[in-house]
């Protein structure tokens, strides 16, 4: 047995490597592995506080703590973002169906353009924060738009979804994490 | 997901070169801080254009991250603090220099380990061949 | 109609490759000579079929036939003709066709220049090459045909990636592929050797010229790629340890080890296991590179459009060829150990170190490149491995290697007899140290103790190689010997090392914002922004900024950096201005309009940077030299 191992050692090493590659490819094909995706270290941690002017009314402020005690979805978007348009319909629907808070973070955007955008296409958010500086996005480890975070009533980040948030994704990734009674 | 990737590809890809990666702001007046800044931005991975450092990347986010680094150096934070700030938010992914941890131990141990193994194996082979030569010559 | 002929040509090539593989490797009902003749004809047939296919693709590109999907995706009517041709290898499908074409070229060359080989051996070599060809052609035709049609013919095509629109593009991939693909020849020889049992010194002499030739091409291809990145990508970098760059560098390291291992096998019949394994390793790494670029498992700026199913196909090919070869090795490898003694300071001993250090380096690079992937696959988290790691990991085995090579080249076979040279070598080392210190003192600021090490290693191998020629070769051969090739190649390593050390230690990068008539200083050189004017190219528009470069108030040059916006694709591209003189380069890259007339600029001072590529060229030249003289040896 050991003779087989010793004599064939390059063979085993190579086969091992090939197996790892095969596993990687199958994972990528299934969507389970994405070499471009960055795993968020915020999961299970306290969601970063923020205090930004509101896009809808610049005299008002939007703070995370304002919605404490409720489940909320924080959605990072911009009027310049093509993929965000793709999720807009779904967001509108989800906002109607769910009784949780939807907070939009308008990332690196001109507030007046953003205002036009929601006026024309509909506003799925309970509040829209103006993050022109991009500081809050960095705090949340955002690396592209759109991204959505599910925050617990106690302020813990439960889940993160990168890319357009679809109803299916919400049902699969966010809904199961919310205790019953939070949605209607 | 692919629309996001598409935009990233447009910004990063091989299309745009360096234009937006150039800092518009002032450099640090003193050399040590400027050197620290340059060293750091060449060590941090751009999270949008993932094949470049934030020093070379065109992405807006890279510019924002460079500002973060600059501001924090100006405020007196250490390199460790700044890196921790970023890894708290983006994970170890953002460091091109993998930090010493269980996950990267293999990488840091490997060069020395492989060298030692190579030397030991070669040493044995040479000793064997050397004595073979002596045998050949003496017989 | 024409693209369909392309598909037919591919199909014909597949049939001929299959026949070739069967003729070479299958049972032999026919007499050997007849087999061989048929096999050679098949090889030639494959070449003609692929040449036709390639010509058809190029024609489709040049005539803007947008009914072909590949043409529509990678070219448009405004694209200059040169780049229409180069677009043939600018994307996945076309580059695969180039791969196959070049493999076929190598096969034809081997078929024609192998008369001195025993017939059965020759059969196996050509058979293996045909088998490799078969795999790649099947992959091309079944998953990545460049001749697929568009259902709807667009009026205008997309653009070739603007960064690829450069003359170096015409050369870099073909050169690189010649090298990559050429490793299949050494592989074929190794497999043939294992199949026929012909594993002796003669085998090493036969395969040496082929290995040298592919190594040569790979060296030039990598050097050109690095140079191209430097002047095209605008940020002054010349190597980024990108996964695909690593994928081309690892076969180079293995091929370098192979050349040296072959020297021992040819001279004394030793290191046969090393030679066989290295032949297999080099080709495996080359295939691995192909896999990494096209499968999407790694994030890389070079990747072609990623497709996991294609990745699985290539992985299958990889497994098929390498598992086959390694099985053969396992079965035949044990009987290979040969008797033969050598001293601790003999040339064999040094070459053993050489093999081990080169392979160690290749393994370290492989580890660094693949580790993030491993972590992801097994869900152990995420890390990034980039230049900070690779630069250190690379230096640890390589600096000692350069030092060892300086001494080892002087060692004789069997008995090192270095004591004869002790005084001479000590003098060489002293001179090298003096040179290194002098060089170091040219640059007042920057650098570290490592800088002196790097300069010393580079100067050491330079002086030692020149000394070698002067003491050993000049009298008997002058310049007409393969060993002179070795001297030149080692000189190249020295030049390269000095260049890398210089630019890593003393380069200065500065981002400034200037309005016209303002100036900035970088490392003693004054850069004055003169004016901004519109520019127009064949398929782009843009702005050009002129800059005046001065040193100690002496005018050096006036250069222009452009920002180009391509008609076909909106995003702007910076074309940096580079001023090059003997010992340094100055870089000016035009950035963004900051308003109020000011523009952001990146200025760079790059001392000794050109030595990096001159080193590469010298290495290749050395290889060519050795090739010419080794090839004569084989004919004899």
């Amino acid at each position: 047995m050991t003779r087989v191992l010793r004599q064939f050692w390059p063979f085993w090493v190579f086969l091992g490597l090939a197996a790892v590659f095969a596993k990687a490819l199958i994972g990528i094909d299934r969507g389970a592995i994405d070499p471009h995706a960055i795993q968020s270290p915020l999961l299970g941690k306290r969601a970063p506080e923020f205090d930004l002017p509101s896009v809808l009314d610049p005299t008002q402020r939007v703070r995370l703590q304002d919605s404490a005690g409720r489940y909320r979805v924080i959605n990072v978007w911009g009027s310049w973002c093509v993929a965000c348009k793709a999720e807009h319909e779904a967001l509108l629907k989800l906002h109607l169906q769910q009784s949780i808070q939807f907070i939009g973070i308008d990332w690196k955007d001109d507030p007046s353009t953003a205002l036009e955008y929601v006026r024309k296409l509909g506003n799925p958010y309970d509040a829209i924060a103006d993050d022109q500086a991009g500081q809050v996005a960095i705090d949340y480890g955002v690396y592209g738009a759109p991204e959505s975070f599910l925050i617990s009533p106690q302020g813990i980040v439960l889940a993160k979804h990168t890319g357009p948030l679809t109803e299916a994704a919400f049902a699969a990734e966010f809904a199961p994490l919310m205790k019953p009674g939070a949605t209607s | 997901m692919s629309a996001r990737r598409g935009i990233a590809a447009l910004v990063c890809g091989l299309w745009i070169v360096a234009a937006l990666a150039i800092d518009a702001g002032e450099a640090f007046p003193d050399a040590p801080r400027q050197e620290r800044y340059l060293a750091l931005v060449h060590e941090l991975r751009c999270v949008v254009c993932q094949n470049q450092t934030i020093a070379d990347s065109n992405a807006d986010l890279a510019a924002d991250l460079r500002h973060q680094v600059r501001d924090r150096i100006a405020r007196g934070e250490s390199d460790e603090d700044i890196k921790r700030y970023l890894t708290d938010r983006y994970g170890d992914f953002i460091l091109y220099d993998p930090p010493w941890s269980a996950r990267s131990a293999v990488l840091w141990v490997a060069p020395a380990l492989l060298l030692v193994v190579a030397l030991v194996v070669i040493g044995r082979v040479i000793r064997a061949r050397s004595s073979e030569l002596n045998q050949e010559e003496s017989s | 109609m024409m693209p369909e002929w392309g598909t037919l040509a591919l199909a014909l090539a597949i049939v001929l490759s299959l026949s070739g593989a069967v003729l070479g490797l299958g049972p032999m009902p026919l007499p050997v000579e007849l087999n061989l003749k048929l096999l050679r004809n098949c090889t030639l047939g494959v070449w003609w079929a692929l040449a036709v296919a390639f010509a058809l693709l190029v024609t489709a590109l040049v005539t803007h036939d947008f009914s072909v999907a590949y043409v529509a995706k990678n070219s448009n009517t405004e694209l200059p003709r040169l780049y229409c041709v180069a677009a043939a290898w600018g994307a996945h499908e076309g580059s695969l066709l180039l791969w196959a074409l070049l493999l076929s070229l190598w096969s034809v060359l081997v078929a024609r220049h192998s008369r001195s080989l025993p017939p059965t051996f020759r059969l196996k070599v050509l058979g293996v090459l045909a088998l490799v060809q078969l795999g790649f052609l099947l992959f091309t035709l079944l998953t990545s045909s460049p001749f697929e049609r568009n259902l709807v013919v667009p009026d205008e095509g997309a653009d070739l990636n603007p960064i690829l629109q450069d003359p170096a593009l015409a050369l870099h991939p073909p050169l690189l592929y010649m090298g990559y693909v050429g490793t299949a020849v050494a592989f074929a020889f190794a497999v043939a050797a294992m199949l026929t049992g012909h594993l002796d010194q003669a085998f090493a002499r036969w395969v040496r010229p082929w290995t040298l030739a592919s190594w040569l091409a790979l060296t030039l291809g990598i050097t050109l790629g690095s140079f191209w990145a430097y002047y095209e990508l605008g940020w002054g970098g010349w190597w980024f340890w990108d996964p695909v760059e690593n994928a081309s560098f690892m076969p180079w390291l293995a091929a370098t080890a192979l050349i040296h291992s072959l020297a021992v096998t040819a001279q004394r019949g030793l290191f046969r296991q090393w030679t066989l394994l290295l032949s297999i390793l080099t080709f495996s790494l080359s295939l691995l590179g192909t896999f990494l670029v096209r499968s999407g498992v790694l994030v890389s700026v070079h990747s072609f459009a990623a497709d996991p199913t294609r990745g699985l196909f290539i992985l299958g090919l990889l497994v098929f060829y390498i598992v086959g070869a390694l099985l053969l090795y396992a079965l035949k490898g044990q009987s290979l150990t040969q008797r033969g003694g050598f001293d601790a300071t003999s040339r064999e001993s040094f070459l053993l170190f050489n093999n081990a250090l080169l392979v160690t380096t290749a393994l370290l690079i492989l580890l660094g490149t693949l580790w993030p992937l491993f972590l992801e696959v097994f869900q152990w988290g995420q890390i990034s491995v980039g230049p900070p790691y690779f630069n250190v990991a690379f230096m640890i085995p390589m600096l000692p290697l350069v030092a060892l090579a300086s001494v080892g080249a002087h060692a004789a076979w069997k008995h090192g007899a270095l004591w004869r040279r002790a005084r001479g070598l000590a003098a060489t080392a002293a001179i090298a140290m003096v040179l290194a210190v002098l060089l170091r003192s040219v640059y007042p600021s920057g650098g570290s103790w490592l800088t002196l090490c790097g300069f010393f290693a580079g100067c050491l191998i330079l002086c030692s190689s020149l000394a070698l020629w002067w003491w050993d070769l000049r009298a008997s051969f002058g310049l007409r010997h393969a060993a002179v090739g070795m001297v030149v190649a080692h000189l190249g390593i020295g030049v390269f090392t000095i260049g890398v050390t210089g630019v890593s230690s003393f380069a200065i990068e500065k981002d400034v914002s200037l309005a016209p008539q303002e100036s900035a200083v970088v490392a003693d050189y004054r850069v004055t922004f003169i004016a901004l004017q519109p520019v127009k190219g064949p398929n782009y528009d843009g702005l050009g900024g002129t800059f005046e470069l001065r040193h100690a108030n002496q005018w050096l040059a006036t250069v222009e950096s452009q920002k180009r916006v391509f008609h076909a694709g909106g995003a702007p591209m910076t074309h940096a201005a580079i001023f090059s003189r003997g010992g340094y380069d100055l870089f000016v890259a035009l950035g963004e309009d900051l308003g109020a007339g000011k523009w952001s600029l990146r200025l760079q001072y790059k001392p000794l940077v050109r030595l990096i590529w001159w080193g590469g060229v010298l290495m290749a030249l050395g290889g060519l030299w050795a090739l010419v003289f080794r090839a004569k040896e084989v004919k004899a």
Side-chain angles (χ1 to χ4, degrees):
Chain A
M1 185 61 210
T2 43
R3 201 197 70 128
V4 170
L5 278 173
R6 288 193 71 199
Q7 188 175 334
F8 285 74
W9 73 266
F11 174 75
W12 299 122
V13 168
F14 177 75
L15 225 47
L17 193 61
V20 173
F21 282 134
K23 192 167 194 292
L25 283 172
I26 296 173
I28 293 177
D29 203 25
R30 288 217 202 105
I33 297 178
D34 180 2
H36 292 267
I38 301 178
Q39 299 162 7
S40 174
L42 287 180
L43 296 178
K45 301 232 175 65
R46 184 151 292 282
E49 269 299 333
F50 55 84
D51 180 345
L52 293 170
S54 161
V55 169
L56 301 168
D57 178 3
T59 62
Q60 299 288 334
R61 307 293 292 181
V62 177
R63 285 177 280 251
L64 182 64
Q65 66 196 53
D66 291 342
S67 51
R70 305 180 62 180
Y71 281 99
R72 37 249 147 107
V73 169
I74 298 193
N75 176 263
V76 179
W77 66 284
S79 58
W80 44 266
C81 160
V82 174
C84 303
K85 291 202 173 61
E87 72 170 356
H88 206 80
E89 281 283 328
L91 284 181
L92 286 168
K93 281 210 199 104
L94 286 166
H95 186 222
L96 282 175
Q97 294 165 0
Q98 309 291 337
S99 71
I100 61 178
Q101 290 272 308
F102 274 78
I103 304 175
I105 307 258
D106 186 26
W107 186 33
K108 306 287 288 181
D109 202 3
D110 172 30
S112 48
T113 325
L115 206 50
E116 258 313 296
Y117 181 96
V118 291
R119 274 211 191 108
K120 258 205 291 189
L121 299 174
N123 183 11
Y125 304 110
D126 295 299
I128 311 181
D130 169 15
D131 188 19
Q132 283 181 73
Q135 176 67 53
V136 174
I138 292 182
D139 275 339
Y140 274 81
V142 168
Y143 63 98
E147 285 184 14
S148 308
F149 298 82
L150 177 67
I151 318 279
S152 77
Q154 294 77 26
I156 306 291
V157 177
L158 297 176
K160 175 179 177 181
H161 179 86
T162 48
L165 186 64
T166 60
E167 295 175 79
F170 187 93
E173 296 169 39
F174 285 13
L177 297 172
M178 297 193 286
K179 297 227 175 45
T183 66
S184 57
Chain B
M1 206 51 179
S2 54
R4 258 173 74 117
R5 196 71 60 73
I7 294 184
L10 260 175
V11 171
C12 323
L14 289 178
W15 294 69
I16 305 184
V17 176
L20 294 162
I22 301 176
D23 282 335
E26 292 295 313
F28 282 104
D30 55 299
R33 282 195 296 174
Q34 180 64 6
E35 268 177 34
R36 274 182 62 201
Y37 170 74
L38 285 177
L40 268 176
V41 295
H42 275 102
E43 250 180 55
L44 295 168
R45 186 174 190 178
C46 175
V47 291
V48 179
C49 303
Q50 297 177 346
N51 295 292
Q52 294 178 302
T53 59
I54 60 175
D56 300 323
S57 166
N58 267 312
D60 266 352
L61 186 50
D64 287 348
L65 288 171
R66 288 199 302 271
H67 285 144
Q68 283 287 324
V69 173
R70 170 178 305 266
D71 287 346
R72 282 165 192 271
I73 293 183
R75 271 187 264 161
E77 289 188 25
S78 72
D79 286 359
E80 287 312 308
D81 291 338
I82 298 176
K83 286 194 213 175
R84 201 176 324 119
Y85 171 80
L86 290 170
T87 53
D88 280 348
R89 286 151 184 78
Y90 291 100
D92 284 344
F93 181 90
I94 202 170
L95 300 174
Y96 257 137
D97 196 4
W100 176 263
S101 71
R103 273 187 253 132
S104 67
V106 148
L107 289 175
W108 290 112
V109 166
L113 189 64
L114 281 178
L115 260 189
V116 165
V117 165
L119 286 173
V120 163
V121 168
I122 292 178
R124 268 205 251 143
V125 171
I126 292 184
R127 215 174 302 138
R129 294 287 179 176
S130 234
S131 60
E132 204 183 312
L133 184 65
N134 287 336
Q135 279 176 354
E136 268 175 44
E137 314 254 280
S138 54
S139 59
Chain C
M1 192 53 220
M2 292 244 277
E4 275 67 43
W5 284 110
T7 310
L8 268 176
L10 275 180
L12 177 61
I14 288 178
V15 168
L16 288 174
S17 306
L18 181 59
S19 318
V22 168
L23 282 168
L25 302 171
M28 277 202 281
L30 301 168
V32 176
E33 284 305 330
L34 184 55
N35 241 0
L36 205 46
K37 192 151 186 240
L38 286 173
L39 178 44
R40 289 181 59 210
N41 285 337
C42 284
T43 309
L44 210 55
V46 171
W47 162 253
W48 286 119
L50 289 178
V52 164
F54 198 75
L56 286 171
L57 182 61
V58 171
T59 311
L61 281 162
V62 166
T63 57
H64 307 299
D65 180 359
F66 296 129
S67 68
V68 178
Y70 184 82
V71 175
K73 258 202 292 186
N74 296 297
S75 71
N76 59 44
T77 49
E78 281 186 331
L79 195 62
R81 172 144 317 165
L82 172 64
Y83 303 132
C84 284
V85 173
W89 49 81
H92 172 66
E93 296 83 355
S95 72
L96 271 183
L97 189 56
L98 180 69
W99 213 104
L101 182 70
L102 291 175
L103 179 59
S104 174
L105 179 61
W106 278 107
S107 308
V108 167
L109 286 172
V110 172
R112 297 194 67 186
H113 294 280
S114 49
R115 259 173 272 267
S116 53
L117 299 178
T120 7
F121 191 85
R122 210 171 162 200
L123 261 181
K124 303 285 176 233
V125 171
L126 291 174
V128 171
L129 284 172
L131 190 61
V132 175
Q133 180 74 282
L134 178 64
F136 273 85
L137 285 174
L138 280 173
F139 177 61
T140 310
L141 190 62
L142 296 177
T143 73
S144 326
S145 172
F147 298 109
E148 288 208 1
R149 294 276 208 174
N150 272 330
L151 290 174
V152 176
V153 181
D155 290 328
E156 180 63 274
D159 206 2
L160 179 66
N161 198 323
I163 240 179
L164 302 177
Q165 292 182 33
D166 179 273
L169 172 64
L171 280 179
H172 169 56
L175 256 181
L176 201 58
Y177 280 32
M178 272 301 273
Y180 258 145
V181 168
T183 61
V185 178
F187 177 73
F189 269 82
V191 172
M194 289 191 285
L195 286 173
T196 58
H198 237 314
L199 286 158
D200 52 7
Q201 289 169 269
F203 152 71
R205 275 203 301 276
W206 298 329
V207 75
R208 225 166 163 182
W210 298 106
T211 319
L212 274 171
S214 69
W215 178 88
L216 171 65
L218 204 48
T219 307
L220 282 175
I222 296 175
T223 304
L224 189 60
S226 165
F227 181 60
W228 178 32
Y230 174 75
Y231 80 77
E232 187 65 22
L233 292 183
W235 39 269
W238 54 274
W239 189 259
F240 195 64
W241 298 108
D242 178 84
V244 174
E245 289 176 352
N246 296 348
S248 75
F249 192 50
M250 290 186 285
W252 185 88
L253 289 168
T256 309
L258 178 59
I259 295 176
H260 289 83
S261 189
L262 279 172
V264 181
T265 310
Q267 179 75 17
R268 298 201 58 203
L270 299 173
F271 287 18
R272 289 189 298 173
Q273 285 173 319
W274 271 106
T275 301
L276 279 180
L277 275 178
L278 282 171
S279 307
I280 299 176
L281 181 66
T282 311
F283 183 56
S284 320
L285 289 172
S286 166
L287 283 183
L288 184 68
T290 312
F291 170 71
L292 291 176
V293 188
R294 296 162 202 277
S295 62
V297 288
L298 290 176
V299 175
S300 164
V301 75
H302 287 80
S303 320
F304 292 110
D307 187 342
T309 32
R310 281 176 180 168
L312 277 170
F313 200 124
I314 304 184
L315 186 61
L317 284 180
L318 187 57
V319 167
F320 175 67
Y321 294 127
I322 306 309
V323 160
L326 288 177
L327 266 177
L328 256 184
Y329 175 80
L331 295 170
K332 305 279 185 134
Q334 298 312 101
S335 55
L336 283 178
T337 329
Q338 185 79 318
R339 296 207 60 76
F342 54 82
D343 222 320
T345 55
S346 63
R347 184 170 287 211
E348 292 93 321
S349 175
F350 276 97
L351 286 175
L352 189 55
F353 271 105
N354 173 290
N355 276 0
L357 287 173
L358 282 169
V359 170
T360 301
T361 311
L363 285 178
L364 285 175
I365 297 177
L366 188 64
L367 183 65
T369 308
L370 294 180
W371 192 247
L373 179 66
F374 281 7
L375 289 182
E376 280 227 42
V377 167
F378 295 110
Q379 303 194 314
W380 291 334
Q382 219 177 17
I383 58 168
S384 299
V385 183
Y389 173 77
F390 285 113
N391 286 335
V392 171
F394 178 72
M395 259 197 317
I396 293 178
M398 286 309 267
L399 271 182
L401 181 59
V402 173
L404 280 178
S406 315
V407 179
H410 291 268
W413 293 105
K414 228 182 196 179
H415 303 273
L418 279 175
W419 51 268
R420 293 183 298 121
R421 283 277 159 83
R423 259 198 274 151
L425 284 175
T428 313
I431 296 177
M433 183 49 109
V434 167
L435 285 174
V437 169
L438 280 175
L439 199 49
R440 174 85 178 74
S441 62
V442 170
Y443 305 98
S445 59
S448 64
W449 63 273
L450 213 49
T451 311
L452 197 56
C453 287
F455 278 152
F456 176 61
C459 292
L460 186 62
I461 200 171
L462 272 178
C463 296
S464 135
S465 305
L466 286 171
L468 182 71
W469 178 75
W470 187 262
W471 291 330
D472 285 347
L473 302 172
R474 180 181 49 110
S476 333
F477 308 110
L479 294 175
R480 308 173 125 282
H481 193 269
V484 176
M486 172 189 78
V487 168
V488 173
H490 284 194
L491 286 177
I493 296 180
V495 169
F496 173 81
T497 308
I498 292 175
V500 171
T501 309
V503 88
S504 314
S505 308
F506 305 117
I508 299 176
E509 180 183 300
K510 219 173 177 180
D511 285 352
V512 297
S513 48
L514 294 179
Q517 302 315 315
E518 290 179 359
S519 69
V521 171
V522 61
D524 274 2
Y525 300 91
R526 179 165 289 276
V527 179
T528 312
F529 190 178
I530 304 291
L532 206 59
Q533 64 277 340
V535 295
K536 203 165 175 46
N539 53 343
Y540 61 84
D541 292 315
L543 281 170
T546 0
F547 301 91
E548 198 182 71
L549 303 170
R550 291 178 159 273
H551 176 56
N553 236 354
Q554 286 272 46
W555 175 86
L556 282 178
T558 304
V559 296
E560 186 189 42
S561 167
Q562 295 181 349
K563 261 192 84 174
R564 299 177 181 168
V565 180
F566 283 81
H567 299 156
M573 191 187 120
T574 294
H575 202 263
I578 308 182
F579 169 70
S580 177
R581 165 164 287 188
Y584 63 91
D585 272 19
L586 283 174
F587 229 91
V588 182
L590 188 63
E592 290 295 292
D593 186 354
L594 302 172
K598 279 193 182 268
W599 282 74
S600 63
L601 300 167
R602 179 164 285 184
L603 307 173
Q604 300 197 54
Y605 165 68
K606 300 276 208 194
L608 299 179
V609 72
R610 304 250 154 178
L611 291 182
I612 296 175
W613 306 297
W614 281 119
V617 167
L618 269 178
M619 283 192 246
L621 192 60
L624 181 61
W625 211 301
L627 173 63
V628 164
F629 287 99
R630 292 277 171 231
K632 287 201 182 144
E633 238 176 59
V634 178
K635 288 229 169 83

